[in-house]
Amino acid sequence: MSARSGLTDQGTKANTSYAHGIEYWKWVRGDSGCTCGEVLRTGRRAIAEDVETCLFMAGTHDRDVLLGGGIRAGQTTPLITREGKLVGMISTHWGQPHKPSERELRMLDIIARPTADLIERRRAAETQRLLLNELNHRVKNTLAVVQAMASRTLVRSPDPKEFAKSFGGRVQSLAKIHDLLSAKSWEGADFKDLIHGQISAGGDETRLTATGPAVRLDPQSALHLALVIHELGTNAIKYGALSTPQGRIYIDWRIDYGLRIRWTERGGPRVEPASSPGFGTTLISQSVRGQGGEALMTILPEGIIWDIMVPFAAAQWSASRTAEAKTGQLETGSTNLRDLKGRRILVIEDEPLIGMDIVASLEHAGAEVEGPIATIEEACRVISNSRFDAALVDANLHGRPVGEVAAALVEQGVPFAFATGYDKDGLSEGFRDCPILAKPAGPEQVVEMAGWLIVASASL
């Protein structure tokens, strides 16, 4: 906070220079040659009775900016909380050389402490709000993954016992990687630890060989690769190398323009190509593709080989309520919101299981679906090259806000909703009034939202 008093009127040049100074000191460092910089260096109030002769301003560009703006004197009082934390400053400036009186300084001290405490409380409240919003997003996203996992597993497991076994194993896989990430405060996970946590090798560790450099994965990559390794291990136990006592698994990886993983099975039963890929194989491919990578399976008589590459960086919605809020009165009596036959829908989602489940729900309703698309770049390219009746968009892709994607959809006139665990405060700036499909969402909600978007757009 700053104030100016007693400045001489030097016309447009002085006013322009002062405005430049405000922008110049938007961010102040400890080596800045101004009273704010002096406070950062010393932690105490700084006074410049005359800018021209002030020692800590001598020879600095700050001094020239002050004089160019008609400022000849100034003071900065630190805002320090009861815990001794510097949270801000109060600066005052004068147009003539000036020595602040004891009364002026006492008045500044009187307002400094409560101001510092108020700033601290507001920052703490904002931090808590952001943390709760992020926690809410993560929990809902995890629930959406579990829901998608259940529905996709059920489609491929008509036998209840087989469903319980497959679904339970996938939930346990999620639990294991969550434990691994929690132990590291969700800052990342070691790839080798992830492998050993996901594969039991039938209880015999000698049957699994894992070699490669130390690789620390970010949380989202760790979650995706945990599911991939779990599926590879499950398939090996059911049909591959770990289904026989002499079978072995070799996993090696390297960093080469990405994380390159080779999964090799030897000593299992003779492998024959399947007539169609199973859910596990599809999940592996989609999970890797969702990270911008690729997965290639080679089937040999002596065992399968998977070559996987992923980019590596160091290191409630209610349809009626939303419609009413957006359009006032939306007549839908003669329109079946769940009839999407022939409609082209774009799905943008970086969680493979969630994306697969959304696509399946829309296709079951007769829609022609593009996706799931997992990166901002690919999404923008597809939007510019194709036409869609509606789109469902994750609020962020691999940790990046999707404002660019939302803007591209607006430019092309495509109605869309955010499919997310965030509330509106977690959405990209400028798009916080867009409809939200809250995760986890069932097939009926997904289809109804897509239908509402089409109907609402047609009524405008």
Side-chain angles (χ1 to χ4, degrees):
M1 181 172 63
S2 63
R4 179 175 64 151
S5 62
L7 284 176
T8 57
D9 183 8
Q10 299 181 27
T12 304
K13 181 178 179 181
N15 292 334
T16 301
S17 298
Y18 187 75
H20 169 67
I22 292 175
E23 183 64 27
Y24 180 76
W25 289 298
K26 186 176 183 179
W27 295 100
V28 179
R29 303 182 308 182
D31 59 357
S32 297
C34 60
T35 52
C36 292
E38 187 71 2
V39 168
L40 287 175
R41 287 190 292 272
T42 66
R44 301 188 300 272
R45 176 188 283 130
I47 300 174
E49 297 180 10
D50 189 340
V51 171
E52 285 191 351
T53 60
C54 178
L55 292 178
F56 61 77
M57 292 185 178
T60 67
H61 184 56
D62 300 73
R63 172 183 177 276
D64 298 335
V65 175
L66 285 166
L67 293 174
I71 297 174
R72 287 294 303 276
Q75 76 76 38
T76 296
T77 299
L79 300 178
I80 300 176
T81 66
R82 299 178 190 278
E83 290 74 29
K85 182 180 179 181
L86 176 66
V87 293
M89 307 173 194
I90 299 176
S91 295
T92 51
H93 304 115
W94 294 269
Q96 298 294 334
H98 178 77
K99 179 179 180 180
S101 66
E102 288 297 321
R103 181 175 179 278
E104 289 175 323
L105 297 179
R106 281 199 304 272
M107 290 297 294
L108 288 167
D109 289 336
I110 288 172
I111 65 175
R113 175 55 61 78
T115 302
D117 290 342
L118 177 61
I119 291 174
E120 182 72 356
R121 286 197 298 272
R122 292 191 64 176
R123 285 183 177 178
E126 177 65 13
T127 298
Q128 184 180 40
R129 186 190 68 80
L130 290 173
L131 289 173
L132 287 174
N133 199 22
E134 185 63 27
L135 176 62
N136 190 41
H137 165 70
R138 287 192 178 186
V139 169
K140 287 184 177 180
N141 217 50
T142 300
L143 290 173
V145 169
V146 173
Q147 176 180 275
M149 192 183 294
S151 62
R152 294 301 93 206
T153 304
L154 183 59
V155 169
R156 299 298 185 105
S157 305
D159 179 53
K161 291 183 178 179
E162 179 62 26
F163 166 77
K165 184 178 180 181
S166 298
F167 178 63
R170 288 169 179 140
V171 170
Q172 289 172 13
S173 171
L174 276 180
K176 289 175 182 177
I177 188 58
H178 272 253
D179 285 345
L180 185 59
L181 288 168
S182 296
K184 302 295 183 180
S185 302
W186 277 80
E187 294 179 354
D190 181 80
F191 183 52
K192 194 168 188 175
D193 291 341
L194 181 154
I195 291 171
H196 285 284
Q198 294 295 322
I199 304 176
S200 64
D204 184 357
E205 290 295 326
T206 64
R207 302 177 66 189
L208 170 65
T209 302
T211 57
V215 174
R216 191 161 186 80
L217 301 168
D218 64 87
Q220 189 174 38
S221 296
L223 285 168
H224 290 168
L225 283 176
L227 288 174
V228 169
I229 298 299
H230 169 77
E231 293 301 326
L232 290 170
T234 299
N235 288 343
I237 291 172
K238 285 183 175 180
Y239 320 110
L242 298 184
S243 66
T244 61
Q246 66 273 18
R248 293 178 62 91
I249 294 176
Y250 303 88
I251 310 173
D252 60 86
W253 62 93
R254 70 184 192 277
I255 302 299
D256 179 14
Y257 299 103
L259 174 60
R260 297 187 180 273
I261 306 163
R262 168 161 284 198
W263 169 287
T264 304
E265 297 185 27
R266 291 292 182 265
R270 182 179 177 85
V271 179
E272 300 292 342
S275 57
S276 62
F279 174 59
T281 300
T282 303
L283 176 57
I284 293 167
S285 299
Q286 291 283 357
S287 295
V288 174
R289 182 174 178 269
Q291 297 180 77
E294 56 184 1
L296 175 65
M297 180 175 65
T298 303
I299 300 176
L300 301 174
E302 61 269 25
I304 67 167
I305 297 174
W306 277 92
D307 286 297
I308 297 170
M309 190 285 291
V310 293
F312 175 68
Q316 278 217 312
W317 171 82
S318 162
S320 58
R321 291 179 185 172
T322 306
E324 184 178 354
K326 294 290 289 181
T327 65
Q329 292 183 348
L330 178 62
E331 296 294 335
T332 60
S334 61
T335 304
N336 183 0
L337 295 180
R338 298 182 183 179
D339 182 9
L340 301 180
K341 187 175 182 179
R343 299 291 191 172
R344 283 181 52 77
I345 311 295
L346 176 62
V347 175
I348 302 172
E349 170 63 60
D350 64 353
E351 286 290 349
L353 271 168
I354 299 175
M356 291 166 62
D357 201 40
I358 292 175
V359 169
S361 299
L362 294 171
E363 288 181 339
H364 185 72
E368 299 175 9
V369 185
E370 178 83 18
I373 292 173
T375 67
I376 290 176
E377 292 75 17
E378 184 181 359
C380 290
R381 180 184 60 78
V382 169
I383 292 167
S384 65
N385 294 332
S386 305
R387 299 297 300 171
F388 299 98
D389 295 296
L392 298 177
V393 186
D394 193 1
N396 68 64
L397 299 177
H398 303 290
R400 294 172 58 190
V402 293
E404 184 180 351
V405 175
L409 288 167
V410 170
E411 183 177 352
Q412 295 294 329
V414 180
F416 67 94
F418 288 109
T420 180
Y422 287 119
D423 59 21
K424 65 178 183 179
D425 290 336
L427 301 180
S428 297
E429 190 73 33
F431 298 98
R432 291 175 180 168
D433 290 330
C434 293
I436 294 176
L437 175 64
K439 292 178 178 178
E444 297 84 1
Q445 292 170 298
V446 169
V447 171
E448 197 163 353
M449 172 58 91
W452 176 83
L453 288 169
I454 295 169
V455 173
S457 176
S459 68
L460 295 178

